[in-house]
Amino acid sequence: GCSRAPHGIRLEGDLTLGGLFPVHSRGPAGVPCGPIKKEKGIHRLEAMLYALDRVNGDPKVLPNLTLGARILDTCSRDTYALEQALGFVRSLLPPPEGEGQCADGSPPRRPPPERLVGVIGASASSVSIMVANVLRLFNIPQISYASTAPELSDPARYGFFSRVVPPDSQQAAAMVAVSRALGWSYVATVASEGSYGESGVEAFVQSSREAGGLCIAQSIKIPREPRPGEFDKLIGRLMETSTARGVVLFANEDDIRRVLEATARANLSGHFSWVGSDSWGAKLGPVQGLEPAADGAITILPKRASVPGFDEYFTSRSLENNRRNLWFHEFWEEDFNCRLPHSEPQSEPHSGPVRKCTGRERIGRDSPYEQEGKVQFVIDAVLAMARALHSLAAELCPGGGLCPHMDPPDGRRLLQHIRGVNFSGSAGTPVSFNENGDAPGRYDIFQFQGANGSGTYRPVGQWVQGLHLQMDAMTWGSNGSVPPSVCSLPCGPGEKKTPVKGVPCCWHCELCAGYRFLADPQSCQACPPHLRPTTNRTSCRPTPVLRLRWGDPCAAVPLALATLGLSATAFVLLTFIKHHETPIVKASGRELSYVLLVGIALVYAITFLMVAEPGVGVCAMRRLFLGLGMSLSYAALLTKTNRIYRIFEQGKRSVTPPRFISPTSQLVITFALSGMQLVGAAAWLLLRPPHALVDYEMGRTPDPEDARGVLRCDMAEGATLACLAHALLLMLTTTVYAIKARGVPETFNEAKPIGFAMYTTCVVWLAFGPIFFGAARSAERVHVQTATLTVSMSLSASVPLGLLYAPKVYVILVHPERNQPRRPRADPPP
């Protein structure tokens, strides 16, 4: 300039690095800069100078080339930093001819053009964002040592920005990983109002969304100026989602302590499990006196290491050997609380009298000293830039030195080499960048264990590009297990999850009812017809098949009746055969009597077919014989009744006997009527061949545990009635004729007994209907119906056997004298 040099440090070199440091704090209104910042300003600036000395003194890095520097003060203000950064850009532009002149008319003195290749800085994220927008236009790479805002990871907006510190988003990712490792799926967040807390929670929410399986119950913001009772109200809000016991804190120290105090006041110590960010770290201040409320808290702290050699370098700095640092005299005065001769007044004067500096003071001896936390990262940023330049120089200038390709180097190619560095940094930790220019996150994870009243932070893991957690090193309250933090408890066996709309971590549990099983966690599926669900409804299992056994009550009773009936029928038949020529047998119509007895025997025999296990042969015989015995019996009775009725009706009109009353005619009529049943059954067999099947629908009960498959023939209830339809029609017709023949004299044949037999049979079959069709729908229904059918048939066969044949057998066996042929009466004597 015309009057004085720019307010910054300038070190000559073949290639120049820019540096941006908050040497001074932000000034009051109208003043850009305030007091000197010792640690965050001077410590970090000296770290860059120390790193440049190391690089220029190392023959293996940039041989025959020296690195210079142009270091500027940002004064912790983004707008002021932007003005300073424009100086970097102006130095790259050649001055236009005839540009201005000084007040005395002399041309301005210009420093030789600088080969600015990259910038180290800035500190605050807001400053880095402002500067990065300018440097990007001129393709100047920038490496920050302290800016952690997640938005700087956007390569579209900040493509030339890199950083050796991990972004806050990686801290949030580490906290998400911890929450998931603890088995939590539903957590609350609490943040202090401001960029740190709000951006931290925003990064946590974003990271949890990307990781999946973790939902935010609620996000609570602590105001900058909390009102009385604010923190008690906060705890009350957290208890609205009381199952979210995990609470993530992005808050300052004071707010953390006040949250713990409110927890203790609400007597909820031990209910919440805290996950604290690096603002909590391993500090004792927030937890002192509140150990029970903080017990079990998991905290995150970036890995830090002290740089060996820097402490010796910095404590040896003095006013004599450190003239290159323009601001070092301000630091000296502030550090030793003294005043140098001819120094300008401090912007904020010390209270009370200030002694004069002697110059013989020593840092660390006459003033406290501790290495500032970001010193490591400043040195690593310079080393990363130097290694990238070394790699680029080796590629562009194989002969060494500064060739035209490196005067100045192309910013885009240098950026590629920066992103490719990977080396052990100043404190022994690896230095590398991802595709967005971010350094990998490295965090130590602690658990505050304060159950015994004293409280210590115990290392329980670390996060280095992934979580490594020592679960066995953690302690948890009284029961020793990790407190659950879930919206909904896991569903029980056979219960599906019905998600709550908009909250994927919350669900309602619904049992897979009926014949459904749990196909996947969120859906039930019906079992195939032949299967039923297991008791826990997690799969399907075969439905048991119910078979009618010979010893079952539904089989034993009908079989006993049928056996007695067959025995009685056989006894009657043998008796009739033995007394074939006696008057009673002859008078009963021997041919039709034998046919009727055969029909009765068939009716009894069908019970054995109905109880037998279904198969093709059994099912075919059921179709053939189910109605045949009854058809034969009622055809014979109908023929008998019809013959009696016609004889007496004909006798009223003439003495000529009616037609078709001979035994042969009666047999033909009987077989013709019953043969129709046989023809129909045979046709059915041919058209639809029989088969056995297991009917699972019939045995389907409301409770799957009671479900059974039923082994049966392919004859439904309707088909069973169809088999009996012809026989029942014959029975009704016989009953009609029995009614018509009721006026026949009692001494004539069997009209009255047949009538009584038919009336009784009708009653039996009328009772059969409601029992058969009214059987409860269950697996046993078919067995109840089988028993009802067979008992009804046996009873209907027993009626004619008892009413028609029992009296005759009684006379034949007990009163044989009544069964003798009548002798012709002798003529009276003349």
Side-chain angles (χ1 to χ4, degrees):
C2 296
S3 58
R4 55 182 296 183
H7 197 56
I9 297 174
R10 183 170 179 180
L11 303 178
E12 298 297 332
D14 298 313
L15 298 170
T16 302
L17 297 183
L20 292 171
F21 295 92
V23 179
H24 293 86
S25 61
R26 181 192 294 252
V31 181
C33 301
I36 193 88
K37 295 178 79 169
K38 294 196 300 179
E39 287 81 10
K40 291 187 177 181
I42 297 299
H43 279 216
R44 295 178 183 180
L45 186 154
E46 285 293 340
M48 180 172 178
L49 297 176
Y50 170 76
L52 289 173
D53 292 345
R54 278 183 54 174
V55 171
N56 290 330
D58 188 347
K60 295 181 181 178
V61 180
L62 292 172
N64 304 321
L65 287 175
T66 57
L67 283 181
R70 176 90 178 276
I71 301 174
L72 303 176
D73 181 9
T74 65
C75 290
S76 307
R77 189 188 296 269
D78 51 2
T79 52
Y80 183 79
L82 180 61
E83 294 174 18
Q84 297 293 301
L86 289 174
F88 293 148
V89 177
R90 275 197 297 269
S91 69
L92 294 176
L93 302 174
E97 290 298 324
E99 181 194 76
Q101 59 183 11
C102 292
D104 59 0
S106 62
R109 297 188 303 275
R110 294 190 182 89
E114 294 171 305
R115 299 180 178 90
L116 190 74
V117 294
V119 173
I120 304 299
S123 180
S125 294
S126 58
V127 175
S128 287
I129 288 170
M130 192 75 81
V131 172
N133 283 316
V134 174
L135 298 180
R136 179 172 62 91
L137 300 176
F138 294 88
N139 293 353
I140 299 176
Q142 172 187 1
I143 302 179
S144 172
Y145 49 82
S147 299
T148 58
E151 59 191 284
L152 284 163
S153 299
D154 185 357
R157 295 175 59 194
Y158 308 104
F160 282 81
F161 178 84
S162 305
R163 50 186 160 190
V164 289
V165 287
D168 288 338
S169 57
Q170 296 208 26
Q171 179 180 199
M175 296 170 80
V176 168
V178 168
S179 300
R180 295 186 66 195
L182 295 175
W184 296 347
S185 61
Y186 195 57
V187 298
T189 65
V190 176
S192 294
E193 187 176 358
S195 60
Y196 174 78
E198 292 176 48
S199 64
V201 164
E202 185 180 343
F204 182 86
V205 171
Q206 178 65 28
S207 182
S208 68
R209 194 175 293 127
E210 292 171 359
L214 188 64
C215 299
I216 309 302
Q218 54 178 326
S219 294
I220 302 176
K221 189 191 300 182
I222 303 171
R224 290 185 196 274
E225 302 294 334
R227 290 173 294 182
E230 187 76 42
F231 289 90
D232 295 321
K233 191 186 301 181
L234 182 148
I235 296 299
R237 284 189 59 189
L238 287 176
M239 287 304 292
E240 291 174 7
T241 52
S242 58
T243 57
R245 296 177 63 182
V247 180
V248 176
L249 285 169
F250 279 91
N252 58 52
E253 269 189 70
D254 291 339
D255 286 347
I256 293 169
R257 183 167 182 83
R258 285 181 283 187
V259 167
L260 294 176
E261 287 172 346
T263 304
R265 280 196 301 273
N267 199 25
L268 289 171
S269 297
H271 176 80
F272 297 111
S273 294
W274 313 102
V275 177
S277 62
D278 58 353
S279 60
W280 185 335
K283 299 171 185 171
L284 290 173
V287 299
Q288 202 161 18
L290 298 167
E291 289 82 0
D295 183 42
I298 305 292
T299 59
I300 308 287
L301 191 63
K303 279 182 175 291
R304 290 178 183 173
S306 182
V307 178
F310 179 78
D311 293 346
E312 292 77 5
Y313 163 81
F314 191 79
T315 54
S316 67
R317 297 296 89 193
S318 67
L319 294 171
E320 291 78 17
N321 65 14
N322 199 21
R323 295 183 181 276
R324 62 183 179 179
N325 186 342
L326 297 179
W327 299 288
F328 196 68
H329 67 282
E330 290 184 55
F331 166 81
W332 196 268
E333 290 181 331
E334 180 70 22
D335 197 42
F336 296 108
N337 193 16
C338 63
R339 179 72 56 82
L340 290 168
H342 312 298
S343 66
E344 296 179 3
Q346 295 288 319
S347 55
E348 289 187 5
H350 296 286
S351 59
V354 179
R355 68 178 181 86
K356 289 186 178 181
C357 302
T358 65
R360 292 190 297 274
E361 295 89 354
R362 285 291 172 266
I363 300 170
R365 185 191 70 187
D366 301 317
S367 64
Y369 167 76
E370 185 179 353
Q371 190 178 117
E372 201 273 334
K374 292 292 192 292
V375 163
Q376 165 196 352
F377 300 112
V378 175
I379 298 172
D380 287 344
V382 175
L383 295 180
M385 189 73 77
R387 284 176 176 269
L389 286 167
H390 178 86
S391 172
L392 181 63
E395 180 184 305
L396 299 179
C397 308
L402 190 66
C403 63
H405 295 298
M406 287 284 288
D407 189 19
D410 176 50
R412 290 190 179 277
R413 297 190 70 173
L414 176 57
L415 178 67
Q416 292 174 0
H417 285 267
I418 290 173
R419 298 289 169 86
V421 299
N422 192 339
F423 63 97
S424 180
S426 57
T429 55
V431 177
S432 62
F433 303 97
N434 65 12
E435 65 275 8
N436 297 329
D438 295 329
R442 294 182 180 87
Y443 300 96
D444 286 319
I445 300 169
F446 299 90
Q447 186 187 39
F448 181 73
Q449 299 177 355
N452 56 6
S454 59
T456 56
Y457 288 94
R458 181 177 181 181
V460 292
Q462 57 182 345
W463 195 87
V464 181
Q465 296 180 325
L467 181 66
H468 308 279
L469 206 58
Q470 301 165 16
M471 298 296 290
D472 54 347
M474 298 184 183
T475 59
W476 302 100
S478 55
N479 61 1
S481 60
V482 181
S485 187
V486 295
C487 179
S488 303
L489 294 173
C491 291
E495 292 181 336
K496 70 168 183 174
K497 293 180 181 178
T498 303
V500 175
K501 190 173 183 180
V503 191
C505 299
C506 301
W507 57 82
H508 301 300
C509 295
E510 293 182 18
L511 183 67
C512 293
Y515 285 78
R516 298 186 302 161
F517 73 100
L518 192 67
D520 59 67
Q522 294 188 345
S523 65
C524 298
Q525 190 174 319
C527 288
H530 64 288
L531 302 177
R532 60 175 178 168
T534 54
T535 50
N536 60 9
R537 297 182 179 273
T538 55
S539 60
C540 295
R541 54 180 170 159
T543 303
V545 177
L546 197 63
R547 291 174 167 83
L548 186 60
R549 309 290 180 185
W550 294 94
D552 293 345
C554 285
V557 173
L559 286 171
L561 284 175
T563 303
L564 288 173
L566 279 173
S567 302
T569 305
F571 180 73
V572 172
L573 184 60
L574 291 173
T575 302
F576 267 52
I577 292 173
K578 185 177 180 181
H579 302 87
H580 182 68
E581 299 297 334
T582 60
I584 288 180
V585 176
K586 287 181 179 179
S588 63
R590 288 176 295 186
E591 296 79 7
L592 283 182
S593 291
Y594 291 138
V595 170
L596 180 56
L597 285 170
V598 171
I600 290 171
L602 285 175
V603 172
Y604 284 127
I606 196 65
T607 297
F608 294 91
L609 281 176
M610 297 301 290
V611 171
E613 184 169 309
V616 175
V618 169
C619 292
M621 293 179 72
R622 283 186 189 179
R623 286 194 196 178
L624 282 172
F625 293 107
L626 181 59
L628 184 60
M630 288 177 61
S631 296
L632 197 59
S633 300
Y634 294 131
L637 289 174
L638 175 59
T639 304
K640 274 191 175 191
T641 313
N642 175 266
R643 175 174 176 270
I644 296 168
Y645 175 73
R646 286 191 297 116
I647 288 173
F648 275 86
E649 284 298 308
Q650 183 72 14
K652 293 177 183 178
R653 295 191 294 268
S654 72
V655 295
T656 309
R659 301 170 63 191
F660 309 119
I661 61 172
S662 65
T664 304
S665 301
Q666 297 293 292
L667 288 174
V668 170
I669 294 170
T670 299
F671 288 131
L673 289 173
S674 58
M676 294 168 65
Q677 169 79 26
L678 203 58
V679 170
W684 187 16
L685 284 173
L686 292 174
L687 293 174
R688 291 190 63 181
H691 64 276
L693 58 89
V694 179
D695 191 338
Y696 292 98
E697 191 61 35
M698 179 176 286
R700 204 174 180 88
T701 56
D703 184 0
E705 287 302 303
D706 299 330
R708 299 290 184 271
V710 180
L711 182 63
R712 65 177 183 85
C713 290
D714 60 334
M715 289 171 63
E717 295 169 358
T720 302
L721 288 181
C723 282
L724 298 174
H726 181 64
L728 295 175
L729 180 63
L730 292 176
M731 181 191 77
L732 291 175
T733 308
T734 305
T735 305
V736 170
Y737 274 104
I739 293 170
K740 287 184 175 184
R742 68 185 182 279
V744 175
E746 291 183 12
T747 54
F748 190 87
N749 235 330
E750 303 168 309
K752 289 289 190 296
I754 290 175
F756 285 127
M758 298 318 298
Y759 306 149
T760 308
T761 304
C762 286
V763 171
V764 170
W765 285 102
L766 285 173
F768 159 80
I771 299 172
F772 185 83
F773 293 104
R777 187 171 186 83
S778 65
E780 288 77 19
R781 175 185 172 93
V782 70
H783 297 166
V784 172
Q785 289 180 329
T786 299
T788 304
L789 176 62
T790 51
V791 168
S792 298
M793 292 180 69
S794 293
L795 289 176
S796 65
S798 300
V799 169
L801 188 66
L803 292 178
L804 298 181
Y805 290 99
K808 295 181 176 63
V809 172
Y810 175 77
V811 172
I812 293 172
L813 298 178
V814 179
H815 298 285
E817 69 279 3
R818 298 182 192 175
N819 193 22
Q820 298 300 321
R822 289 185 182 181
R823 294 180 182 177
R825 277 189 298 178
D827 294 332

